[in-house]
């Protein structure tokens, strides 16, 4: 029996590129969990601080470095990942890149007044439900909705 698709019609998806993200969190004065999101540089969407693997840093360390550079925060990194999500990295002048992001919780202990990407991004604390509504990626929405510091 012949296949319905010819070889030239078969869609081949590239292996997603790996990234690491920080999930910055704190408890507010009322003890409610808050999550810090930042805007992406090009599309200005609300996202987690994230980036590519870095030489001599493990995934969590790379996530913490991105949190410093992109959001101007430092904190206590949780060893266990909160989860993963997929997304298409949108770029204004080029094709999207398929990415797989491993997310590491980061309990924020310091919020800096100045940081490397301060002029390129906005940062904002959200309640969990507001953070879920602010992000676009369905898998990230689910991760945020279902995560708590007690699970890490």
């Amino acid at each position: 029996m012949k296949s319905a698709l010819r070889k030239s019609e078969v869609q081949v998806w590239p292996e997603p590129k790996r990234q690491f993200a920080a999930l910055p969190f704190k408890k507010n004065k009322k003890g409610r969990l808050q999550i810090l999101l930042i805007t992406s540089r090009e599309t200005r969407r609300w996202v987690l601080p994230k980036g590519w693997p870095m030489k001599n840093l493990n995934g969590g360390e790379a996530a913490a470095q991105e949190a410093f550079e992109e959001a101007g925060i430092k904190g206590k990194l949780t060893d266990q990942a909160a989860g993963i999500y997929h997304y298409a990295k949108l770029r204004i002048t080029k094709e999207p890149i398929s990415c797989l992001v491993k997310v590491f919780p980061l309990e924020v202990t310091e919020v800096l007044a100045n940081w490397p990407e301060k002029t390129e991004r906005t940062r904002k604390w959200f309640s969990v439900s507001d953070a879920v509504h602010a992000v676009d990626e369905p898998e990230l929405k689910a991760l945020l909705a279902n995560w708590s510091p007690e699970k890490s």
Side-chain angles (χ1 to χ4, degrees), residues 6-91:
R6 286 182 231 139
K7 189 173 184 176
S8 62
E9 295 173 334
V10 173
Q11 178 66 52
V12 177
W13 297 102
E15 185 74 23
K17 303 291 184 188
R18 289 184 316 133
Q19 288 192 313
F20 299 108
L23 172 46
F25 72 95
K26 70 176 184 178
K27 299 251 176 127
N28 67 12
K29 292 176 183 174
K30 295 182 179 180
R32 294 198 178 111
L33 184 63
Q34 293 190 299
I35 295 172
L36 185 83
L37 298 177
I38 60 169
T39 53
S40 66
R41 282 195 286 216
E42 289 191 27
T43 63
R44 308 303 291 169
R45 295 174 303 116
W46 289 108
V47 299
L48 294 175
K50 66 183 167 306
W52 307 108
M54 295 180 188
K55 189 175 182 177
N56 300 323
L57 297 182
N58 66 33
E61 293 165 342
Q65 180 65 31
E66 292 294 343
F68 163 72
E69 292 174 10
E70 296 181 353
I73 54 174
K74 294 182 179 184
K76 182 182 171 196
L77 189 67
T78 305
D79 292 334
Q80 185 175 341
I84 60 169
Y85 72 96
H86 296 84
Y87 82 106
K89 181 174 179 61
L90 303 175
R91 303 178 304 164

Side-chain angles (χ1 to χ4, degrees), residues 1-3 22-23 58-59 63 66 74 76 101 112 127 143 148:
M1 179 175 211
K2 284 192 169 185
S3 171
L23 172 46
N58 66 33
E66 292 294 343
K74 294 182 179 184
K76 182 182 171 196
V101 185
L112 305 171
S127 68
L143 188 151
S148 72

Side-chain angles (χ1 to χ4, degrees), residues 98-118:
S98 175
C99 296
L100 171 69
V101 185
K102 191 171 187 178
V103 179
F104 292 89
L106 181 76
E107 185 173 10
V108 177
T109 58
E110 192 176 351
V111 179
L112 305 171
N114 293 299
W115 67 96
E117 297 184 18
K118 179 179 182 177

